[in-house]
Amino acid sequence: MPTLSVYHLIPPAGAANLSFHFGRQGIGLEETGETLASDSLFAALVVQAALNDPRRTTNGAPVWLEPFLADQPPLRHSSLLPRIGDLPLLPRPLLPIRLPPTAELAGKQLKKLRYFSPALFVAVCKGEELPADPIILQQGKVWLSEEDARCLPVPWKQTAAESSDAWRARLTATPLWQVEATPHVTLDRLSAASAYYEVGRVSFAVGAGLSLLVTFTDAQARPSFEHLLTLLGESGLGGKRTNGYGAFAWQHGTALTLDLPTPHERAVLLSRYIPTSTELPLVRDARSTYRLTRVGGWFLAADGSTYRRQAVMMLTEGAVLVCRERLPGGQILDVRPAEVGVSHPVYRSGLALAVGLPADSK
């Protein structure tokens, strides 16, 4: 059974909750997501490694990257995922969802679904039937099993005066995060004319936040990773950090063990993924199910100039790939633009964090 180390992002000292601006490519500043993809998080860690240690490899990369580039990654991590208290939420696997005939859930409700509690995630991966009445939060984006929900802390915990129905109704109505547009004004330097604009902000409820799942193949990599995570929390994550967004602290969560026995014949991604040339048959297999996303964007070079990165196609979280011998590995690509002379590499991580499905999964 896979066991994952869990890191909880929590509010920094003096703050009551977490707030971020996680922009989306091609969308204005007024839009934000509630999570950050694994490749963006890895890029932020690389920046902190470069700022923290002046040593470089022969091609100009921070020395922290050396084992990753040598195809011996000491760790693999997920995308940032929502959490409720100590309970991390997992991405919906692209597998059939089996519901009992008595379930009163319409197809439109299934379209909104994005995250499962661990118990429901394991049930879907095993091809088991889900309960007829899961606890549904965040306008249908989050499904919890009652078993997982019973372990939640205050304010989601059932009180002594509440009936089970009243508790479930209160859970359903309590938001885990809210996305709002905050107003801003910019002034023209010459004319002093004002221009109004809005910036999207995702704010998590007190006690909720984000989790990061990590597997370490080298225990000695843990201290340096945690140091970089601390530095990243101090500098901030995401956009509009000068406006106060993105700061966080972190703490260890309870290790997550998923009841998925071996041997496996398929795998579910908890991160984004770029297959290597030898892993392309996993993607081409007709039984694999996945979504693709085009990842581009801009980067700030060491000389202070801004350039557009080469775009790459990546498999998204929740993809299910046929892989009997080994779990998907992935690769890191240098995406610096070919038409300009950037003196250092610009890496986009497609290293996969995946968990295997049992051989008898339906």
Side-chain angles (χ1 to χ4, degrees):
M1 293 187 291
T3 299
L4 304 169
S5 297
V6 180
Y7 293 84
H8 293 326
L9 272 58
I10 60 175
N17 65 335
L18 289 170
S19 62
F20 299 95
H21 174 78
F22 295 141
R24 293 293 180 261
Q25 183 180 350
I27 300 178
L29 286 173
E30 67 276 7
E31 298 292 335
T32 180
E34 71 273 7
T35 60
L36 186 70
S38 56
D39 55 301
S40 295
L41 177 61
F42 187 85
L45 291 170
V46 171
V47 169
Q48 293 304 315
L51 295 174
N52 184 57
D53 190 342
R55 294 177 298 164
R56 297 291 184 266
T57 63
T58 54
N59 67 346
V63 293
W64 181 75
L65 266 178
E66 223 167 2
F68 294 93
L69 300 177
D71 200 24
Q72 296 177 334
L75 63 92
R76 295 175 181 272
H77 63 78
S78 69
S79 297
L80 288 178
L81 299 168
R83 66 170 174 87
I84 316 173
D86 195 43
L87 182 72
L89 303 175
L90 302 177
R92 172 188 177 178
L94 294 180
L95 291 168
I97 296 176
R98 298 182 58 204
L99 295 170
T102 56
E104 298 180 357
L105 294 170
K108 289 184 178 179
Q109 290 175 288
L110 294 178
K111 289 183 179 180
K112 297 179 181 178
L113 175 59
R114 293 189 62 185
Y115 306 104
F116 280 124
S117 68
L120 295 185
F121 177 87
V122 168
V124 171
C125 289
K126 289 182 173 180
E128 298 174 349
E129 190 173 82
L130 300 188
D133 55 345
I135 297 175
I136 299 177
L137 310 179
Q138 207 66 29
Q139 296 84 46
K141 289 185 178 180
V142 176
W143 285 21
L144 306 182
S145 69
E146 185 158 336
E147 172 192 3
D148 285 329
R150 293 285 178 190
C151 300
L152 296 177
V154 176
W156 299 280
K157 188 178 182 66
Q158 184 177 2
T159 65
E162 274 184 316
S163 67
S164 182
D165 288 344
W167 168 66
R168 291 173 66 102
R170 181 170 62 84
L171 274 183
T172 300
T174 303
L176 303 178
W177 66 83
Q178 291 183 325
V179 175
E180 56 189 356
T182 58
H184 293 263
V185 174
T186 183
L187 296 177
D188 185 274
R189 292 182 179 181
L190 297 179
S191 66
S194 62
Y196 174 84
Y197 68 101
E198 295 182 342
V199 174
R201 177 179 66 186
V202 56
S203 299
F204 288 87
V206 176
L210 294 168
S211 285
L212 179 65
L213 310 179
V214 186
T215 58
F216 291 94
T217 54
D218 182 357
Q220 295 182 351
R222 186 186 292 268
S224 60
F225 169 77
E226 293 178 351
H227 179 58
L228 293 179
L229 196 60
T230 299
L231 295 175
L232 184 56
E234 293 172 353
S235 65
L237 190 59
K240 293 299 177 181
R241 297 190 296 275
T242 55
N243 291 348
Y245 302 165
F248 66 89
W250 64 269
Q251 64 184 22
H252 291 287
T254 304
L256 179 64
T257 299
L258 300 174
D259 185 18
L260 294 170
T262 53
H264 66 266
E265 68 172 16
R266 292 185 290 179
V268 181
L269 296 180
L270 303 180
S271 67
R272 285 181 175 175
Y273 168 56
I274 301 174
T276 64
S277 58
T278 58
E279 292 173 334
L280 285 177
L282 308 184
V283 179
R284 292 170 176 163
D285 194 298
R287 294 164 295 174
S288 295
T289 55
Y290 55 87
R291 294 189 180 98
L292 294 171
T293 185
R294 185 178 184 271
V295 180
W298 299 80
F299 71 95
L300 182 66
D303 62 3
S305 302
T306 302
Y307 302 100
R308 184 181 289 276
R309 295 191 301 260
Q310 292 187 58
V312 294
M313 299 299 293
M314 305 185 74
L315 277 70
T316 61
E317 305 88 344
V320 177
L321 303 175
V322 175
C323 53
R324 293 183 180 85
E325 297 181 1
R326 54 179 294 184
L327 294 174
Q331 60 178 319
I332 296 176
L333 296 180
D334 184 354
V335 294
R336 63 181 137 177
E339 64 275 8
V340 295
V342 178
S343 61
H344 56 85
V346 179
Y347 291 115
R348 183 60 37 177
S349 173
L351 297 177
L353 176 62
V355 294
L357 302 189
D360 59 351
S361 176
K362 300 298 182 183

